[in-house]
Amino acid sequence: MSKIYSDKKIFMLRAKLGSRYIWKYLADELIRAHKFDRSPLKPLDVVCDITYNCNSKCLTCFRWASAPDPNELGLEDWKIVIERLKSWLGTFTITFSGGEPFLKKDMMDILRFASGKDIVVGVVSNGSLIDEALAKAISSSGIDAVCFSLNSLNPAVHNKTRGSDRSFAQVMSAIENLRGRGKTRLAICATVIRENINDLAGLAEFVASNGLDGINFQPLMEASIIRNFDKDGKSTVPPKGKLYEGLEKTNTENVDNVFEQLIAMKEKGYPINNPVKHLRYISMYLKNPDDPRLSALPCKIGPKNFLLDPFGNVRICQVMEPIGNVMAELPQKIWNSEKARKQREMIRSCNRACRLLNCNFKELDIASRVRRMMRLLKRRQK
């Protein structure tokens, strides 16, 4: 049975990760400067799309269009993968996403197993399945964080973007059910689109006033309309959603006002996780997706990301081909493989705007990290 983290243990794990993030950031800058094709440091973040099955019908994502696939890895497979990652990486963060992770029947067993291995575990969910019983199981599982998708406090806007008339009520119910979540952090992920541009500051205010631990703003772009892959790693290219097609109609002047307000809120201590520089780049993108200043930014995904799909295929970049499979090879061998080297070389010359995605963008924002750690410590002392 997986052991449950003590408060002190979780805090120490996150403190250890924080110091390693700083060292890796500095090392990755050196790698970029010298244009190395191999990453001498291990990734600290693993993102696992545990299933493509989803009960939402988001207009910004088409994973819900996939039928349940019997070839997805099961509980015993994921135990093997987690053990291999732990043996290689030591202390690291693993984030389970989807699809909707809690549609997977063994999801809680996977979460408990990973958290019992001294891994910092997070999960991204639409909140639709988190009733009181599941909320209690999550709170006692030892995982570090849950992040809910919430695009607006206006039910009509949120429901439109999620393709469900019940989505807003469900995520609000999930937040309420996790009020007694103990030491598990609770955050919001908001996709920034034309329809919700005026709601972003209100979301940040909601997070702060309701005692949530943070909010992440994610710009919608073509590359964020995530592809589905089969067990052999072959991808399908989804159509651009209506929301993406209309993004260029965003009021430019209003974008400036909204993001200046968000930056002012962050500087006042609101728990906005995006670095200030990232917020400015998102604003720039919303006004002109083809702004040459964006393509001039270095993409830091090559030495940073270790992405897993439901079948165990590994990617550095979400829109590129797999570089291996963790059920067939050790993860460290995949990370340092010739395929990985060639993809890092390709990434250096890529000019896609997806370098602004939260999983790709990296900035050494020490002040924000310190504030987040202090908020975490303060809440754990209650």
Side-chain angles (χ1 to χ4, degrees):
M1 180 182 294
S2 298
K3 65 181 183 297
I4 303 301
Y5 282 149
S6 68
D7 294 347
K8 182 178 179 182
K9 196 166 194 178
I10 292 180
F11 182 80
M12 293 306 295
L13 284 173
R14 292 200 62 82
K16 183 177 180 180
L17 273 175
S19 63
R20 289 180 62 191
Y21 273 118
I22 293 173
W23 166 237
K24 182 167 176 60
Y25 177 88
L26 296 174
D28 286 347
E29 288 298 300
L30 177 64
I31 292 169
R32 181 171 65 88
H34 290 274
K35 297 184 179 180
F36 295 158
D37 295 324
R38 299 185 186 275
S39 180
L41 295 183
K42 305 168 187 176
L44 296 179
D45 296 312
V46 176
V47 178
C48 173
D49 291 331
I50 196 79
T51 182
Y52 289 153
N53 194 14
C54 192
N55 55 354
S56 292
K57 293 186 177 181
C58 301
L59 300 180
T60 57
C61 171
F62 292 90
R63 287 200 163 164
W64 51 267
S66 297
D69 194 322
N71 294 299
E72 290 185 356
L73 301 186
L75 174 60
E76 296 307 315
D77 297 321
W78 283 114
K79 286 182 177 180
I80 292 171
V81 171
I82 291 166
E83 290 274 17
R84 289 179 176 179
L85 290 169
K86 175 64 179 177
S87 177
W88 174 41
L89 298 175
T91 301
F92 70 102
T93 297
I94 186 167
T95 301
F96 293 100
S97 185
E100 171 49 43
F102 290 108
L103 284 172
K104 195 168 184 68
K105 66 176 183 178
D106 298 322
M107 193 65 232
M108 286 308 307
D109 292 322
I110 294 170
L111 293 177
R112 281 189 284 263
F113 182 82
S115 65
K117 295 294 179 181
D118 289 356
I119 298 168
V120 178
V121 182
V123 60
V124 179
S125 170
N126 61 25
S128 61
L129 302 174
I130 302 181
D131 56 15
E132 291 183 2
L134 183 53
K136 184 176 180 180
I138 291 170
S139 299
S140 63
S141 67
I143 71 170
D144 177 63
V146 179
C147 189
F148 288 134
S149 301
L150 180 63
N151 288 345
S152 175
L153 294 178
N154 181 330
V157 173
H158 176 79
N159 288 342
K160 176 184 178 182
T161 64
R162 294 293 165 183
S164 168
D165 291 338
R166 299 186 300 160
S167 182
F168 182 81
Q170 288 172 335
V171 71
M172 286 301 174
S173 176
I175 291 172
E176 188 62 32
N177 288 335
L178 280 167
R179 288 285 183 192
R181 63 190 182 275
K183 308 306 178 182
T184 303
R185 294 187 303 140
L186 183 56
I188 294 299
C189 302
T191 302
V192 180
I193 52 178
R194 174 169 52 89
E195 279 76 359
N196 72 346
I197 193 72
N198 293 318
D199 302 336
L200 305 184
L203 284 169
E205 185 67 52
F206 171 82
V207 167
S209 61
N210 283 272
L212 277 62
D213 297 287
I215 182 167
N216 302 290
F217 294 108
Q218 172 69 69
L220 176 67
M221 51 187 62
E222 182 179 2
S224 66
I225 304 173
I226 308 172
R227 304 180 183 193
N228 295 333
F229 301 91
D230 62 21
K231 64 182 178 63
D232 298 318
K234 296 180 180 179
S235 67
T236 59
V237 181
K240 295 178 181 179
K242 294 180 180 178
L243 294 173
Y244 176 80
E245 293 284 10
L247 191 62
E248 69 276 5
K249 298 177 183 178
T250 303
N251 184 295
T252 300
E253 182 180 352
N254 206 32
V255 167
D256 285 331
N257 293 337
V258 167
F259 278 84
E260 286 304 319
Q261 184 178 3
L262 290 177
I263 290 169
M265 294 174 76
K266 180 178 177 66
E267 291 174 343
K268 289 179 180 177
Y270 281 75
I272 297 172
N273 293 334
N274 305 69
V276 169
K277 188 177 289 187
H278 192 208
L279 292 172
R280 294 197 187 282
Y281 283 133
I282 294 175
S283 175
M284 190 183 301
Y285 170 79
L286 292 172
K287 291 183 291 184
N288 179 14
D290 299 318
D291 192 312
R293 290 173 293 179
L294 298 175
S295 58
L297 291 172
C299 181
K300 300 178 180 179
I301 193 174
K304 178 180 185 290
N305 283 12
F306 196 89
L307 310 175
L308 292 168
D309 71 16
F311 315 103
N313 295 313
V314 179
R315 289 175 177 80
I316 295 175
C317 174
Q318 190 67 258
V319 299
M320 291 185 175
E321 296 302 311
I323 57 173
N325 186 291
V326 285
M327 293 301 293
E329 299 176 272
L330 292 175
Q332 56 267 46
K333 183 176 180 181
I334 297 171
W335 181 250
N336 293 303
S337 67
E338 181 63 15
K339 283 186 177 180
R341 185 197 69 78
K342 288 182 178 179
Q343 282 201 6
R344 291 189 183 105
E345 186 176 352
M346 292 169 60
I347 288 167
R348 285 209 310 269
S349 59
C350 179
N351 61 1
R352 289 175 179 262
C354 49
R355 61 200 67 213
L356 293 184
L357 296 178
N358 287 332
C359 58
N360 298 355
F361 188 88
K362 185 168 58 175
E363 182 69 22
L364 188 58
D365 191 354
I366 295 178
S368 289
R369 288 192 178 275
V370 170
R371 284 196 294 268
R372 288 166 66 179
M373 291 297 291
M374 293 305 294
R375 285 197 300 266
L376 178 64
L377 180 60
K378 182 177 180 180
R379 201 164 67 78
R380 294 192 185 285
Q381 289 174 337
K382 292 181 179 180

